[in-house]
Amino acid sequence: MAPTALNGQYQHFVPQFLLKNFAHRVPKAPKAPKGTPKPKYEKGMFPGDLVISSLDMIQDSAVFTEKPVSRILGQINMYDDFTKPNGEQRHVEKLLSKLEAQAAHIVTKVTKALEAKEPTVRLMWDERALLRKFLFLMRYRNIGFYKRFHYENSAEYSDQDREQLREYMAENPQFKTPIDVWLNNIKTIVELEIDPEFKWASEIGKYMYPDDAQWFLYNLQHNTMAFCVPSNPEDEFILTDNSYTVSDEVQLFARNVRSDRVETLARAPFHEFAPVSPKLMIVLRSEYLPEPLEDNTPEIKAAREALRAAAFAGFGPVQSVLEDLPIGKPHNSHLKLVDGRLVLRDGEDGRQRRDHSYLFHFFSVESRHVHTINSILLDKCIHCTSIIFNSKDAFGKTLEWYLSASLEYGKTLIGENSEPREKILMKLEAISRLLGSKKETKWTRVNNCHVAADHEYSRLLDQQVRRNFNRVLSGKNAPKPYLNTFDRISAAIDEVMKQPGSRHEGTSPGFTPTSQYQMLGGSIHTAEKDKEQTLLMMTLRIKIDYWSRGVDEEIRQRNRDLLIAEYLRMPARRLWGYMRIVRYMYLSDSFFIPIRLKPEQPEDAVIYGIPTIENLAVSLLSQTPFAGMALGVWARNPRNPNYHPSPSDSSSSSSSSSSSSSSPDDDDDDDDDEFESNLEASLSLFNILHRTELALRVICRTRFLGIMESERLKHNLHPQTLQNLKKVFFTAVYPTPPDDWRYRFW
């Protein structure tokens, strides 16, 4: 363990300004008769001192207790940095205190508005950004993360990212212990200035552990903040040790083939929670869940539903227990409501600025939702020391509701935490009985679970993906043409739009993707939104594979197909942008996309050929007797038992035989025989329908230019345009074998 300072200081991982919202003052003792000894009080428990009512979970049996605000939810010297001289060891604690003071000012502004019964509270851009940063740190500075990093050296560190952390510490020898990395991460986030231009996102990975920088980026970008208040005055929210780290989430369990233990394979959050007071809960809601105003726009609603289906596909048909929580996004000052839809105000370009503000509503939630949120906190308090409450009556009601509720609210004994969870449930049941509840406690134990692929292999594969990401995010050992952060792919899109496009004869030398974008209906008014959506399309495609690791491959492929089907419904200009970026992601020699792209892109050939595509199917059907040609191929195939060679067939065959027999190289004959043998083996895999399909592709390709010539002339296109379109159709879209293979398909 790390050395301990001589003057131990109790340092809170839940700030006192929040704890005070759950506290009450110790009442004065009644005046005692003369001669009676004066009552004795413990430190912090004198009349008038602020104390917290809590359920102490440390003992074998939980007990009600009161503790001073100054001595609960904290740890001695928790944030002390022992690599510094004595006078500087508490620099992280001082930074946190400064941030807490700033956050307290904002939270007080919110609570005062609530106490004044205001329906809303307005926060400026900087206030909102600081509050979001503070909420993330409330998760990251928690006792659970202190325990995660509290080791003497990197070799002892045992979390899922152990290889990554060890590599990071080896590259940064100033960090002697994992706790040094954690403290530096906290310091980096506290000192970070979050700017509206998002410049901070490209820098943060250079100054802190990249794995946790990823998490910070995701947390700030992929959920929305809302304020919830109980509609029933008798209802109250609770607070636990780990409240700020708890998620309403779906989990996937599987049996590890190596350890033969049931372990958590994957998880995906719907909501995160930050208790402010018994009457105020901040909820962070996933962007995949319904949003009332935005969902009034059918396109946005459809896109959200598609993203959600793809993101959670590996978990099966799941819903949040708070799916119908009546909350929404704050109203941004640069938007206005027109016919139920949000649109930009005049003079706004969609970019965020410091003079923007956000109007947050206080969403009134019914008893069921209050109990559900409390139940999620109770279900995750496996390693908690305290459950804090304001009123014992309100706590008794919410505890009874949790224990007697259906199993969709947790209480499932499965996986690595099944034993400690059972002990906690028994403690809570005993307390509920003590408070007068007679309702039956419901929980279940799951012993049988499907066996997944090797967890260790999946973990190492995950670490390799993270390693590639972190290499780029940190800006170290990454070539200049590559992105500094995954979330700045938009910068690559900007760069792509400056590069020359595919050059075709008949077009100007300066033809660029910008003009191609305009050909697909894009304009300066749609560019910013299309760029944003292209970014989301690409990141989601990657996340689907990332989130579904360990899931059956057929299910994963179905999910990919469903996503692409949704993409095909989007505007052509977005699909075009997606194809330009993603294709080069696969062609590059890194996990990330080179900014400099190359010409001769097939999607550009399709743009040039758009005028002909509408009539392509009609032209092929009307001028190409598919059935007849297929029968003709079959009739002339020597494998047909009714085959009678025509003179041309015979001469062709003789010519071929003569050519073969005159070959001077026996090795070539052997190679041809081997090739023919392999071809025969490959063709045996195709049934009659597959072979017919491939034969028809060959036929269509041989006649494509002739059939489409009238369309080319009609639209005054250069001949090279059809050549390029033919190459795209029969190479990328419908891969087609050589012309002479059509006789081999039967």
Side-chain angles (χ1 to χ4, degrees):
M1 302 298 288
T4 303
L6 295 177
N7 55 334
Q9 183 188 58
Y10 193 85
Q11 298 171 352
H12 290 81
F13 54 82
V14 176
Q16 293 190 61
F17 83 86
L18 291 174
L19 291 173
K20 289 176 181 177
N21 293 333
F22 290 84
H24 62 274
R25 296 195 178 275
V26 177
K28 290 184 178 181
K31 193 172 182 180
K34 274 188 178 184
T36 303
K38 291 184 178 181
K40 295 182 179 180
Y41 300 99
E42 296 180 13
K43 185 177 180 180
M45 300 291 289
F46 287 89
D49 286 345
L50 286 172
V51 295
I52 293 275
S53 296
S54 67
L55 188 63
D56 190 334
M57 303 295 290
I58 296 177
Q59 308 302 322
D60 291 339
S61 298
V63 294
F64 287 109
T65 185
E66 287 189 341
K67 294 183 180 180
V69 167
S70 59
R71 281 296 183 272
I72 191 169
L73 301 191
Q75 179 88 10
I76 298 293
N77 300 333
M78 184 171 177
Y79 305 112
D80 281 9
D81 184 354
F82 296 106
T83 65
K84 302 290 185 182
N86 286 339
E88 301 176 19
Q89 290 182 355
R90 290 191 176 133
H91 69 103
V92 174
E93 171 70 6
K94 291 177 181 178
L95 285 172
L96 286 171
S97 297
K98 182 179 178 180
L99 178 67
E100 289 169 11
Q102 295 170 333
H105 176 75
I106 300 169
V107 171
T108 300
K109 179 179 178 179
V110 175
T111 54
K112 283 186 175 180
L114 178 60
E115 290 168 2
K117 302 188 183 304
E118 297 287 345
T120 60
V121 61
R122 185 174 295 277
L123 299 182
M124 298 304 295
W125 193 95
D126 283 328
E127 291 177 317
R128 172 181 171 271
L130 188 140
L131 187 56
R132 289 302 304 269
K133 178 168 72 171
F134 171 75
L135 291 178
F136 177 82
L137 279 171
M138 288 299 296
R139 295 176 67 86
Y140 194 70
R141 64 185 285 191
N142 194 267
I143 188 66
F145 285 87
Y146 173 78
K147 293 177 179 178
R148 167 190 165 187
F149 287 98
H150 204 225
Y151 293 96
E152 285 286 345
N153 53 64
S154 60
E156 296 178 4
Y157 183 84
S158 58
D159 216 272
Q160 293 288 321
D161 61 335
R162 48 188 174 271
E163 290 85 6
Q164 287 292 97
L165 184 77
R166 290 165 188 167
E167 289 179 12
Y168 180 74
M169 291 181 64
E171 294 172 0
N172 297 272
Q174 69 271 28
F175 301 126
K176 306 301 181 185
T177 67
I179 202 76
D180 297 340
V181 176
W182 181 60
L183 292 174
N184 178 71
N185 292 345
I186 294 175
K187 175 179 179 292
T188 300
I189 295 174
V190 172
E191 295 179 334
L192 177 70
E193 180 184 354
I194 300 180
D195 60 285
E197 295 79 21
F198 215 63
K199 295 176 183 176
W200 63 273
S202 63
E203 298 296 323
I204 188 172
K206 300 176 184 178
Y207 303 107
M208 66 178 284
Y209 177 44
D211 262 43
D212 292 344
Q214 286 184 49
W215 181 30
F216 179 59
L217 283 166
Y218 182 88
N219 188 271
L220 264 64
Q221 296 177 68
H222 294 282
N223 50 40
T224 186
M225 182 170 64
F227 299 145
C228 294
V229 299
S231 59
N232 185 341
E234 296 181 358
D235 293 334
E236 294 177 348
F237 295 112
I238 63 172
L239 171 66
T240 63
D241 295 31
N242 62 342
S243 292
Y244 301 92
T245 68
V246 167
S247 298
D248 158 35
E249 62 188 7
V250 55
Q251 297 185 61
L252 186 65
F253 294 92
R255 185 171 295 281
N256 191 328
V257 295
R258 288 194 177 189
S259 65
D260 197 36
R261 295 186 306 173
V262 176
E263 299 174 359
T264 305
L265 187 64
R267 64 182 75 219
F270 290 110
H271 298 90
E272 297 170 4
F273 308 100
V276 175
S277 77
K279 298 297 183 180
L280 178 61
M281 176 73 72
I282 297 178
V283 176
L284 300 178
R285 186 175 177 89
S286 168
E287 63 181 347
Y288 301 127
L289 295 180
E291 207 295 317
L293 279 179
E294 287 187 349
D295 288 352
N296 285 335
T297 303
E299 296 83 1
I300 295 179
K301 183 178 181 180
R304 189 192 312 281
E305 290 174 349
L307 292 174
R308 173 176 177 167
F312 292 97
F315 298 90
V318 294
Q319 275 197 324
S320 165
V321 292
L322 293 169
E323 188 85 15
D324 60 346
L325 189 67
I327 61 177
K329 290 184 176 181
H331 293 177
N332 303 347
S333 61
H334 58 287
L335 299 176
K336 61 181 179 180
L337 197 61
V338 177
D339 297 330
R341 299 186 183 188
L342 292 172
V343 298
L344 287 173
R345 293 184 182 276
D346 295 339
E348 294 286 352
D349 58 6
R351 299 179 184 179
Q352 298 184 39
R353 299 197 302 268
R354 292 191 186 277
D355 60 349
H356 287 161
S357 63
Y358 298 83
L359 189 66
F360 287 86
H361 286 261
F362 292 112
F363 293 101
S364 181
V365 296
E366 58 187 70
S367 296
R368 174 173 58 90
H369 290 131
V370 175
H371 292 322
T372 299
I373 292 173
N374 286 339
S375 293
I376 294 169
L377 300 182
L378 290 170
D379 202 56
K380 300 295 179 66
C381 71
I382 301 172
H383 304 293
C384 289
T385 61
S386 302
I387 300 174
I388 294 171
F389 56 87
N390 182 54
S391 161
K392 190 177 287 189
D393 288 341
F395 175 67
K397 290 178 182 178
T398 208
L399 179 59
E400 181 184 63
W401 194 94
Y402 163 65
L403 292 174
S404 61
S406 60
L407 297 177
E408 64 178 314
Y409 298 96
K411 301 174 295 181
T412 300
L413 308 182
I414 184 174
E416 55 266 40
N417 288 321
S418 59
E419 289 186 14
R421 186 184 299 276
E422 183 177 10
K423 291 180 180 178
I424 291 293
L425 284 170
M426 294 176 68
K427 287 183 182 182
L428 293 177
E429 182 183 42
I431 291 295
S432 186
R433 295 285 180 266
L434 182 65
L435 293 175
S437 174
K438 297 180 180 179
K439 291 188 177 181
E440 178 187 0
T441 299
K442 299 177 182 177
W443 72 57
T444 185
R445 185 187 302 277
V446 177
N447 294 318
N448 297 322
C449 193
H450 80 277
V451 177
D454 188 346
H455 284 221
E456 181 65 8
Y457 174 80
S458 298
R459 187 188 67 81
L460 292 175
L461 185 64
D462 172 45
Q463 293 308 304
Q464 183 58 48
V465 173
R466 289 175 176 270
R467 185 176 292 109
N468 290 333
F469 182 95
N470 294 341
R471 178 170 62 95
V472 178
L473 183 65
S474 64
K476 298 177 181 178
N477 304 321
K480 287 185 178 179
Y482 291 80
L483 302 179
N484 289 328
T485 170
F486 190 66
D487 287 286
R488 287 187 63 215
I489 292 174
S490 59
I493 297 175
D494 288 336
E495 187 69 20
V496 168
M497 298 302 290
K498 301 174 185 176
Q499 302 300 315
S502 302
R503 291 191 180 182
H504 299 269
E505 294 181 26
T507 64
S508 62
F511 199 83
T512 67
T514 301
S515 53
Q516 294 169 348
Y517 175 71
Q518 292 171 344
M519 289 175 67
L520 293 174
S523 69
I524 190 173
H525 303 292
T526 62
E528 193 67 28
K529 187 64 176 179
D530 286 342
K531 183 174 70 174
E532 175 188 338
Q533 291 300 311
T534 301
L535 170 63
L536 291 174
M537 290 165 69
M538 181 162 54
T539 53
L540 176 60
R541 173 59 184 84
I542 296 170
K543 287 178 180 178
I544 285 177
D545 274 2
Y546 178 76
W547 288 333
S548 61
R549 291 163 302 156
V551 178
D552 184 87
E553 190 57 35
E554 289 187 8
I555 297 177
R556 299 182 80 197
Q557 185 57 47
R558 183 205 65 186
N559 297 339
R560 298 179 190 121
D561 294 341
L562 287 172
L563 182 66
I564 295 302
E566 290 296 331
Y567 284 177
L568 292 175
R569 298 167 56 186
M570 294 184 176
R573 59 184 183 271
R574 294 179 186 173
L575 187 62
W576 168 76
Y578 170 80
M579 292 173 65
R580 284 180 70 87
I581 302 297
V582 175
R583 184 164 50 81
Y584 280 94
M585 181 175 178
Y586 284 96
L587 295 178
S588 66
D589 59 357
S590 166
F591 185 75
F592 295 92
I593 307 167
I595 290 180
R596 295 286 172 180
L597 300 185
K598 303 175 182 178
E600 301 178 4
Q601 293 153 94
E603 61 269 19
D604 296 339
V606 174
I607 294 177
Y608 289 108
I610 281 178
T612 70
I613 293 176
E614 286 187 6
N615 297 321
L616 175 59
V618 175
S619 299
L620 288 173
L621 285 172
S622 62
Q623 300 185 38
T624 307
F626 280 111
M629 286 197 296
L631 291 175
V633 172
W634 175 239
R636 294 196 301 275
N637 195 299
R639 301 185 187 185
N640 180 355
N642 298 319
Y643 166 69
H644 297 290
S646 65
S648 60
D649 292 334
S650 300
S651 61
S652 175
S653 176
S654 300
S655 173
S656 176
S657 300
S658 173
S659 174
S660 298
S661 62
S662 63
S663 174
D665 195 337
D666 292 339
D667 289 339
D668 287 346
D669 289 342
D670 293 340
D671 291 342
D672 290 343
D673 291 342
E674 183 179 357
F675 173 78
E676 290 293 331
S677 175
N678 291 336
L679 175 61
E680 293 295 332
S682 299
L683 290 177
S684 67
L685 300 176
F686 295 101
N687 60 30
I688 186 65
L689 292 178
H690 295 150
R691 297 183 183 198
T692 302
E693 163 73 17
L694 291 174
L696 292 178
R697 290 187 187 183
V698 173
I699 294 168
C700 288
R701 183 177 58 195
T702 58
R703 303 198 176 191
F704 181 83
L705 295 179
I707 291 173
M708 300 305 297
E709 179 64 14
S710 61
E711 287 293 318
R712 184 189 71 78
L713 295 174
K714 176 181 175 182
H715 296 285
N716 194 28
L717 300 176
H718 194 278
Q720 186 62 38
T721 299
L722 283 189
Q723 291 284 1
N724 293 330
L725 203 57
K726 174 185 175 182
K727 184 177 180 180
V728 172
F729 278 160
F730 299 105
T731 303
V733 182
Y734 300 106
T736 305
D739 291 350
D740 62 347
W741 282 29
R742 56 179 162 171
Y743 298 115
R744 301 174 181 265
F745 291 129
W746 283 280

